[in-house]
Amino acid sequence: MKPYKNKINKIRSFALSLIFIGFIIMYGAIFFREHQWLVIIFMTLGILCILGSTFVYGWIGFLSTRAVLVECPGCHKHTKVLGRVDMCMYCNEPLTLDPSLEGQEFDQSLNNRTKRND
Ligand SMILES: [Zn+2]
C-alpha cells in the first residue's frame, strides 16, 4: 500500500518544491552567462516556477476554506479533510466524511467514485 498523505499537506509541499526548483533554474543561468538568450530563458522559467508556486499557495488557501475541520479519532488533533477521503495531517490516519465508506480499506480512488445510493 502506497503511503498516502493529507491532500493539503501534499499540495503545500508541491508549492514549496516549486520555489526551490525555480531558484535552482535561475541559479543554473549563471552557467550560461556567455549566452544571453539562455540566461533569459532560464530566468523566465525560474520566475514562472515561483509565480506558479504563488498561484498554488493561493489555491491551497481557497481549498482550505472548502475543507472540513474534523477531530482525528487517532491523535485527537484538528485536521482538515478535503474530498470524501483524506488522511490526518498529523498521524496519517485515514478519515472519511462518508459513513458508507467507514471501515473500508483506504483507497485514493474512493474520491472519484460516485455515490452508490444516488
Ligand atoms: Zn491524527
Side-chain angles (χ1 to χ4, degrees), residues 11-114:
I11 300 166
R12 200 173 277 149
S13 39
F14 170 69
L16 194 67
S17 55
L18 259 186
I19 290 184
F20 281 112
I21 291 166
F23 276 114
I24 290 166
I25 292 172
M26 286 206 272
Y27 184 74
I30 294 169
F31 298 102
F32 301 104
R33 53 175 170 247
E34 283 106 68
H35 309 280
Q36 209 175 7
W37 58 277
L38 272 177
V39 173
I40 291 166
I41 289 171
F42 271 66
M43 284 298 189
T44 312
L45 281 177
I47 287 164
L48 278 179
C49 280
I50 289 163
L51 281 179
S53 155
T54 319
F55 173 76
V56 172
Y57 268 114
W59 185 46
I60 296 168
F62 168 71
L63 286 180
S64 296
T65 61
R66 292 179 54 205
V68 185
L69 196 67
V70 295
E71 194 188 301
C72 169
C75 62
H76 298 286
K77 280 178 182 158
H78 289 278
T79 181
K80 279 177 176 173
V81 172
L82 202 58
R84 294 172 71 198
V85 283
D86 204 355
M87 312 304 276
C88 171
M89 279 182 181
Y90 307 98
C91 66
N92 274 355
E93 168 101 12
L95 303 167
T96 178
L97 294 173
D98 190 337
S100 69
L101 298 176
E102 226 162 80
Q104 280 192 35
E105 184 87 5
F106 182 79
D107 188 349
Q108 202 72 58
S109 69
L110 290 176
N111 275 316
N112 308 324
R113 215 175 281 172
T114 46

